[in-house]
Amino acid sequence: MLNSLSGRFLILTTVFVMLAEILIFVPSIARFREDYLLTRLERAQIASLVLLADDMLETELEAELLANAGVFNVVLRRDAMRQLMLSSPIPQPIEATYDLRMASPLVLIGDAMRRLVTPGNQIIRVIGAPVREAGLLIEVTMETAPLRMAMIDYGVRILLLSAVISIFTAVLLFVAVRAFLVKPIKVVVGYMQRYAAAPEDARGIIQPSAGVTELREAEEALLQLQTELTQALKQKQRLAQLGEAVAKISHDLRNILTSAQLFTDRIEMSEDPLVRRLAPKLVNSMTRAVSLCESTLAFGRAEEPAPTLTVIKLSEVIGDLIEAERIVSADGRIEIVSAVPAELELRADPEQIYRIVMNLVRNAGQAIAATGEAGTVTISAFEDAEAWWISVSDTGPGLPKRAQENLFTPFHGGARKGGSGLGLAIAAELARGHGGSVSLRQTGAEGTIFDVCLPKGDGTI
């Protein structure tokens, strides 16, 4: 109960209401003391009126009037002189004098608090203004014990009433909190628990229904989160199934390509000059295809092989790539140009560099081909003190905004309709394996440029 929201509201409400009542109690008890003293002055004034009607009063009647007024004597000042109207023996000396005519609220509160904490019976003098302007002042002497008892009785009644009000208010607030806050929160928690137990079950997705604005916003935020998470889980499940299928296909394709490699060895023995010239390219392509299938199988096991770093001439790798791409795009409308310095050497994995540049070149070629016009893809490279830089630029139409937002995200960054978006993702992953990166330098109507950065680091040539 104490750890629940409604229980803590119940306790806090009781405490706060009691605290408010205590703050009200202090001026209230001071007001009660002032009214009590003013009442004694008024009774004393009424008793003194009898003496004005008859100058001679019997001792018994005078004592009875003073007892009814609750005072020992009465002094009334009507003109310039003070006149003792009624009197009786005072049992002990006067301890203090209180003038109610000019007393401020702070003075009244201080006097009341001191009277509450002062036990015993004292004699005090009280001065006030007569009612109905029946004189200049009226003065009485009285005991403090009845005053203190009346103040205590009044205070106890006030505190009991405050306790009843606080408990009643707390109970009402407890019921209201459970109805308007705790119950809707439990509904939200229930949806969260059901969704956590079975994210694929659409019945666990919350349907906002709260009337409180803050709870409604929380339900709508939870609905958006559950919807996006469900879509992400479904996509990951489909990708996992796709990955399993690709792994199976790659396994069988590797076996087929391995068999095909045996036949390419025979082709190299042909006497046809064209066949003899193209056969090594076919062998290299088959080797790369087998290597790619093996890499796909490794990727399916979440084991991307680390690059094998060797010193290579980049122009030779780019030359093989350009010849292979010219065979693939036999229409000749897309020209691939190498501006790589012949003497430029770098330390990298030749096969992975081949794949990085190949993906960028093919993306550029596909972007140009989509326009139906001829174009040029240029591969350039240079080095500085910290890194080697490879740039692939094209004269294509530029990347659409959607592709730019998800540039290196698999299955999201495709720039053309029907594209998988894997090319840039693969290139970026292979570059990261070298400690480098792939970045978009610029894109627009004048073309697109991608930069591959391969840091030199330790052990460079």
Side-chain angles (χ1 to χ4, degrees):
M1 180 68 178
L2 296 179
N3 293 328
S4 65
L5 180 63
S6 53
R8 293 191 178 185
F9 262 103
L10 176 65
I11 296 173
L12 289 175
T13 303
T14 304
V15 172
F16 290 157
V17 171
M18 288 297 296
L19 180 61
E21 292 292 343
I22 289 174
L23 294 177
I24 296 173
F25 170 80
V26 174
S28 176
I29 199 71
R31 180 65 180 173
F32 175 82
R33 172 183 171 274
E34 182 185 19
D35 291 342
Y36 184 93
L37 296 178
L38 290 175
T39 301
R40 293 297 179 272
L41 290 174
E42 185 177 354
R43 290 181 181 178
Q45 181 180 349
I46 294 173
S48 66
L49 293 177
V50 178
L51 183 60
L52 293 176
D54 188 355
D55 291 338
M56 300 299 294
L57 291 178
E58 295 181 0
T59 304
E60 292 80 4
L61 179 58
E62 185 175 357
E64 183 178 355
L65 290 174
L66 290 173
N68 289 335
V71 298
F72 289 109
N73 54 42
V74 180
V75 175
L76 182 63
R77 183 177 178 179
R78 298 177 63 85
D79 297 319
M81 297 180 58
R82 298 171 70 251
Q83 182 179 359
L84 179 63
M85 305 298 295
L86 299 171
S87 64
S88 64
I90 300 176
Q92 61 189 61
I94 297 174
E95 296 290 339
T97 299
Y98 300 98
D99 191 345
L100 302 181
R101 293 174 299 173
M102 303 296 292
S104 65
L106 290 179
V107 172
L108 292 174
I109 290 175
D111 293 342
M113 293 301 102
R114 282 190 291 272
R115 179 54 50 207
L116 277 178
V117 299
T118 303
N121 188 23
Q122 297 177 343
I123 303 300
I124 61 173
R125 178 186 288 112
V126 181
I127 301 173
V131 295
R132 298 184 181 276
E133 300 180 355
L136 298 179
L137 65 82
I138 184 170
E139 176 185 318
V140 299
T141 55
M142 55 181 290
E143 294 179 305
T144 60
L147 169 63
R148 184 170 182 270
M149 291 301 299
M151 292 173 64
I152 292 175
D153 180 65
Y154 175 78
V156 170
R157 287 186 282 111
I158 287 293
L159 292 177
L160 288 176
L161 180 61
S162 301
V164 172
I165 293 175
S166 64
I167 294 174
F168 183 71
T169 305
V171 170
L172 290 180
L173 184 59
F174 174 81
V175 174
V177 167
R178 289 192 65 87
F180 297 108
L181 288 179
V182 176
K183 186 176 180 180
I185 289 175
K186 286 185 175 181
V187 172
V188 174
V189 172
Y191 272 109
M192 295 173 67
Q193 292 174 341
R194 287 168 55 189
Y195 184 79
E200 70 281 353
D201 189 354
R203 294 174 298 176
I205 298 178
I206 191 171
Q207 300 298 326
S209 59
V212 181
T213 302
E214 290 77 6
L215 286 175
R216 182 78 178 198
E217 292 175 353
E219 289 180 344
E220 291 175 351
L222 178 60
L223 172 62
Q224 182 179 0
L225 175 63
Q226 289 178 329
T227 303
E228 293 177 355
L229 184 57
T230 299
Q231 293 175 352
L233 290 174
K234 289 181 179 179
Q235 184 179 31
K236 288 185 180 296
Q237 184 179 10
R238 291 170 184 167
L239 290 177
Q241 295 172 350
L242 177 61
E244 183 179 357
V246 169
K248 293 177 181 178
I249 294 172
S250 297
H251 179 272
D252 294 338
L253 183 59
R254 180 192 59 181
N255 295 335
I256 296 172
L257 292 174
T258 302
S259 300
Q261 273 186 308
L262 300 176
F263 294 101
T264 58
D265 295 337
R266 295 288 189 90
I267 296 177
E268 288 182 322
M269 300 174 61
S270 174
E271 299 297 333
D272 189 336
L274 179 60
V275 174
R276 291 177 64 86
R277 185 172 66 85
L278 295 179
K281 307 299 181 184
L282 178 60
V283 172
N284 291 338
S285 298
M286 296 292 291
T287 302
R288 290 192 179 98
V290 172
S291 176
L292 180 59
C293 290
E294 292 176 347
S295 299
T296 303
L297 291 173
F299 179 80
R301 298 190 299 270
E303 298 176 357
E304 181 66 31
T308 302
L309 302 180
T310 58
V311 179
I312 61 173
K313 279 195 173 184
L314 183 60
S315 58
E316 295 180 357
V317 176
I318 299 303
D320 290 343
L321 170 65
I322 291 175
E323 289 192 25
E325 290 300 312
R326 285 173 179 169
I327 296 174
V328 172
S329 56
D331 56 0
R333 301 180 64 183
I334 300 173
E335 183 181 5
I336 304 176
V337 178
S338 174
V340 177
E343 69 280 1
L344 179 61
E345 293 183 340
L346 53 84
R347 192 166 183 268
D349 187 315
E351 291 300 323
Q352 293 192 5
I353 292 297
Y354 184 98
R355 291 174 59 192
I356 292 172
V357 180
M358 179 191 69
N359 279 298
L360 295 176
V361 169
R362 287 194 176 176
N363 279 358
Q366 291 167 356
I368 296 173
T371 64
E373 300 178 357
T376 303
V377 179
T378 304
I379 307 170
S380 59
F382 69 95
E383 65 176 317
D384 56 26
E386 298 180 353
W388 294 285
W389 294 87
I390 305 173
S391 298
V392 178
S393 61
D394 62 63
T395 58
L399 295 173
K401 185 177 180 180
R402 184 184 66 84
Q404 296 180 45
E405 293 173 351
N406 303 280
L407 203 56
F408 301 103
T409 305
F411 302 101
H412 288 84
R416 60 188 177 86
K417 185 177 181 180
S420 63
L422 284 172
L424 289 175
I426 292 173
E429 183 177 358
L430 294 176
R432 284 194 298 269
H434 287 74
S437 63
V438 178
S439 60
L440 175 65
R441 187 200 305 179
Q442 70 176 48
T443 184
E446 67 281 0
T448 300
I449 302 177
F450 278 95
D451 291 327
V452 181
C453 175
L454 302 175
K456 292 182 176 180
D458 297 333
T460 58
I461 58 172

